[in-house]
Amino acid sequence: MRTASTHQPSTERNQHSQRADRETSPVEPLRGLGEVPWPDIQDSTGSASAIPLLLNKIAWGNAQTAAAAVGELRDRICQYGFVVEQATAATVPFLWELAQLPHVTCRPQLLRLLGNIAEARQWERTASAYPKLLNHRENPVAWERAARQAVHDRRGLLCHLPTDTDTELGRAATELARGLDG
């Protein structure tokens, strides 16, 4: 005599596994973008309102799109690899977040950008030669310090990245760790 199957029908099984996936999956990337007043802060081009779009391209774009977005973002928040802007500190937590996501194709470039931000001292050097810079309403020295601090505040995230020097990501993570420790 045959007995009825005890397995759930496929639709019930799929609904259950989808619900479990949602409950155990990490928080959706870049959720906090809307909490930053991007139009009210400045990047190297003026309003920083384009930064969320660039971050989304990095998060969800293919390799070519993401690489182009990193290049444009670098020009906006860490021009020439050493000149930070007002929007830089607000952008740093999102760079760290993206660098943690395995599906992001340009993680080594993001780590190098974080390294450039952590080493930026252009405005401090300029202010030491021209102290009046510190009296301006917009204080780029404060932006630079805040950006560096934002990178250092999340350096503990490096422990989640590979440190093997056989991969580009591992080399970038190791370089950043050395720069932040030194």
Side-chain angles (χ1 to χ4, degrees):
M1 174 183 219
R2 291 180 124 184
T3 59
S5 170
T6 58
H7 295 294
Q8 296 174 340
S10 64
T11 56
E12 287 179 32
R13 195 170 45 249
N14 287 341
Q15 289 171 351
H16 174 71
S17 66
Q18 287 172 353
R19 189 171 36 256
D21 288 346
R22 278 195 304 269
E23 291 170 0
T24 59
S25 65
V27 176
E28 182 179 329
L30 306 176
R31 287 186 67 185
L33 277 178
E35 297 172 19
V36 178
W38 299 107
D40 300 333
I41 57 178
Q42 302 292 305
D43 64 18
S44 68
T45 66
S47 170
S49 59
I51 288 178
L53 177 62
L54 293 171
L55 291 168
N56 274 300
K57 285 181 178 183
I58 294 167
W60 306 113
N62 62 31
Q64 185 176 3
T65 299
V70 169
E72 187 175 342
L73 185 63
R74 175 184 295 280
D75 289 344
R76 288 173 172 266
I77 67 166
C78 192
Q79 206 171 27
Y80 312 115
F82 58 86
V83 181
V84 301
E85 301 292 335
Q86 184 182 24
T88 306
T91 308
V92 165
F94 300 107
L95 298 176
W96 274 114
E97 181 180 350
L98 292 170
Q100 301 299 310
L101 300 174
H103 75 271
V104 172
T105 59
C106 54
R107 294 163 70 195
Q109 293 84 351
L110 294 174
L111 294 176
R112 287 189 194 99
L113 176 55
L114 287 165
N116 290 147
I117 294 166
E119 294 172 6
R121 290 194 171 40
Q122 179 64 28
W123 292 117
E124 281 184 357
R125 288 185 194 115
T126 303
S128 68
Y130 302 101
K132 290 183 180 182
L133 180 65
L134 297 172
N135 299 330
H136 288 212
R137 184 176 62 84
E138 295 180 347
N139 187 343
V141 175
W143 302 343
E144 193 173 71
R145 289 177 181 156
R148 281 198 316 263
Q149 188 62 48
V151 174
H152 282 271
D153 285 348
R154 289 172 176 77
R155 70 180 171 265
L157 293 173
L158 281 169
C159 70
H160 301 293
L161 296 172
T163 55
D164 61 327
T165 56
D166 295 339
T167 66
E168 185 181 5
L169 180 60
R171 287 188 297 275
T174 300
E175 285 174 30
L176 180 55
R178 282 187 193 132
L180 294 178
D181 289 340

